[in-house]
mmCIF file of all heavy atoms in Angstrom:
data_model
loop_
_atom_site.group_PDB
_atom_site.id
_atom_site.type_symbol
_atom_site.label_atom_id
_atom_site.label_comp_id
_atom_site.label_asym_id
_atom_site.label_seq_id
_atom_site.Cartn_x
_atom_site.Cartn_y
_atom_site.Cartn_z
ATOM 1 N N VAL S 189 65.926 77.990 124.345
ATOM 2 C CA VAL S 189 65.318 76.749 125.000
ATOM 3 C C VAL S 189 64.426 77.080 126.145
ATOM 4 O O VAL S 189 64.959 77.870 127.023
ATOM 5 C CB VAL S 189 66.424 75.762 125.256
ATOM 6 C CG1 VAL S 189 65.954 74.436 125.751
ATOM 7 C CG2 VAL S 189 67.393 75.518 124.078
ATOM 8 N N GLU S 190 63.354 76.396 126.285
ATOM 9 C CA GLU S 190 62.533 76.745 127.299
ATOM 10 C C GLU S 190 62.902 76.079 128.603
ATOM 11 O O GLU S 190 62.769 74.849 128.757
ATOM 12 C CB GLU S 190 61.089 76.204 126.965
ATOM 13 C CG GLU S 190 59.939 76.900 127.797
ATOM 14 C CD GLU S 190 58.625 76.549 127.259
ATOM 15 O OE1 GLU S 190 58.445 76.023 126.119
ATOM 16 O OE2 GLU S 190 57.612 76.743 128.044
ATOM 17 N N THR S 191 63.513 76.904 129.559
ATOM 18 C CA THR S 191 63.941 76.347 130.851
ATOM 19 C C THR S 191 63.816 77.402 131.856
ATOM 20 O O THR S 191 63.592 78.619 131.518
ATOM 21 C CB THR S 191 65.571 76.040 130.781
ATOM 22 O OG1 THR S 191 66.263 77.254 130.593
ATOM 23 C CG2 THR S 191 65.866 75.094 129.626
ATOM 24 N N PRO S 192 64.181 77.151 133.102
ATOM 25 C CA PRO S 192 64.126 78.289 134.108
ATOM 26 C C PRO S 192 65.025 79.488 133.769
ATOM 27 O O PRO S 192 64.723 80.618 134.052
ATOM 28 C CB PRO S 192 64.607 77.693 135.433
ATOM 29 C CG PRO S 192 64.214 76.154 135.269
ATOM 30 C CD PRO S 192 64.315 75.891 133.726
ATOM 31 N N MET S 193 66.151 79.220 133.015
ATOM 32 C CA MET S 193 67.048 80.338 132.685
ATOM 33 C C MET S 193 66.338 81.309 131.729
ATOM 34 O O MET S 193 66.690 82.553 131.701
ATOM 35 C CB MET S 193 68.234 79.767 131.907
ATOM 36 C CG MET S 193 69.255 80.754 131.546
ATOM 37 S SD MET S 193 70.738 80.123 130.665
ATOM 38 C CE MET S 193 71.859 79.694 132.009
ATOM 39 N N THR S 194 65.369 80.800 130.828
ATOM 40 C CA THR S 194 64.787 81.755 129.846
ATOM 41 C C THR S 194 63.422 82.184 130.306
ATOM 42 O O THR S 194 62.640 82.631 129.432
ATOM 43 C CB THR S 194 64.774 81.018 128.511
ATOM 44 O OG1 THR S 194 64.202 79.924 128.640
ATOM 45 C CG2 THR S 194 66.212 80.904 127.940
ATOM 46 N N ARG S 195 63.023 81.921 131.587
ATOM 47 C CA ARG S 195 61.735 82.330 131.925
ATOM 48 C C ARG S 195 61.374 83.815 131.695
ATOM 49 O O ARG S 195 60.272 84.171 131.313
ATOM 50 C CB ARG S 195 61.585 82.076 133.488
ATOM 51 C CG ARG S 195 60.103 81.692 133.907
ATOM 52 C CD ARG S 195 60.071 81.121 135.308
ATOM 53 N NE ARG S 195 60.282 79.736 135.395
ATOM 54 C CZ ARG S 195 60.890 78.968 136.365
ATOM 55 N NH1 ARG S 195 61.407 79.720 137.352
ATOM 56 N NH2 ARG S 195 61.045 77.704 136.366
ATOM 57 N N PHE S 196 62.345 84.628 131.748
ATOM 58 C CA PHE S 196 62.264 86.078 131.574
ATOM 59 C C PHE S 196 61.809 86.376 130.138
ATOM 60 O O PHE S 196 61.093 87.396 129.948
ATOM 61 C CB PHE S 196 63.443 86.868 131.996
ATOM 62 C CG PHE S 196 64.634 86.779 131.123
ATOM 63 C CD1 PHE S 196 64.922 87.737 130.255
ATOM 64 C CD2 PHE S 196 65.407 85.669 131.077
ATOM 65 C CE1 PHE S 196 66.081 87.628 129.299
ATOM 66 C CE2 PHE S 196 66.533 85.526 130.196
ATOM 67 C CZ PHE S 196 66.862 86.445 129.418
ATOM 68 N N VAL S 197 62.181 85.559 129.150
ATOM 69 C CA VAL S 197 61.745 85.688 127.791
ATOM 70 C C VAL S 197 60.298 85.135 127.524
ATOM 71 O O VAL S 197 59.520 85.688 127.025
ATOM 72 C CB VAL S 197 62.741 85.088 126.820
ATOM 73 C CG1 VAL S 197 62.334 85.270 125.363
ATOM 74 C CG2 VAL S 197 64.222 85.615 127.079
ATOM 75 N N MET S 198 60.227 83.860 128.111
ATOM 76 C CA MET S 198 59.015 83.002 127.807
ATOM 77 C C MET S 198 57.883 83.778 128.437
ATOM 78 O O MET S 198 56.699 83.747 127.980
ATOM 79 C CB MET S 198 59.093 81.678 128.390
ATOM 80 C CG MET S 198 60.242 80.758 128.086
ATOM 81 S SD MET S 198 60.528 80.695 126.235
ATOM 82 C CE MET S 198 58.875 79.956 125.840
ATOM 83 N N GLN S 199 58.002 84.501 129.490
ATOM 84 C CA GLN S 199 56.823 85.240 130.249
ATOM 85 C C GLN S 199 56.623 86.533 129.690
ATOM 86 O O GLN S 199 55.632 87.215 130.001
ATOM 87 C CB GLN S 199 57.103 85.251 131.729
ATOM 88 C CG GLN S 199 56.983 83.920 132.293
ATOM 89 C CD GLN S 199 57.287 83.843 133.843
ATOM 90 O OE1 GLN S 199 57.875 84.847 134.377
ATOM 91 N NE2 GLN S 199 57.065 82.707 134.504
ATOM 92 N N ASP S 200 57.428 87.116 128.774
ATOM 93 C CA ASP S 200 57.158 88.379 128.223
ATOM 94 C C ASP S 200 56.685 88.248 126.819
ATOM 95 O O ASP S 200 57.548 88.087 125.859
ATOM 96 C CB ASP S 200 58.533 89.126 128.226
ATOM 97 C CG ASP S 200 58.411 90.578 127.667
ATOM 98 O OD1 ASP S 200 57.480 90.819 126.840
ATOM 99 O OD2 ASP S 200 59.441 91.359 127.951
ATOM 100 N N LYS S 201 55.416 88.228 126.628
ATOM 101 C CA LYS S 201 54.876 87.921 125.301
ATOM 102 C C LYS S 201 55.401 88.686 124.098
ATOM 103 O O LYS S 201 55.733 88.130 123.079
ATOM 104 C CB LYS S 201 53.307 88.242 125.330
ATOM 105 C CG LYS S 201 52.500 87.008 125.811
ATOM 106 C CD LYS S 201 51.305 86.721 124.930
ATOM 107 C CE LYS S 201 50.798 85.300 124.822
ATOM 108 N NZ LYS S 201 51.171 84.371 125.864
#
Side-chain angles (χ1 to χ4, degrees):
V189 182
E190 198 172 346
T191 69
M193 183 183 273
T194 53
R195 211 168 272 146
F196 73 103
V197 183
M198 305 307 302
Q199 288 176 348
D200 179 341
K201 270 234 152 17

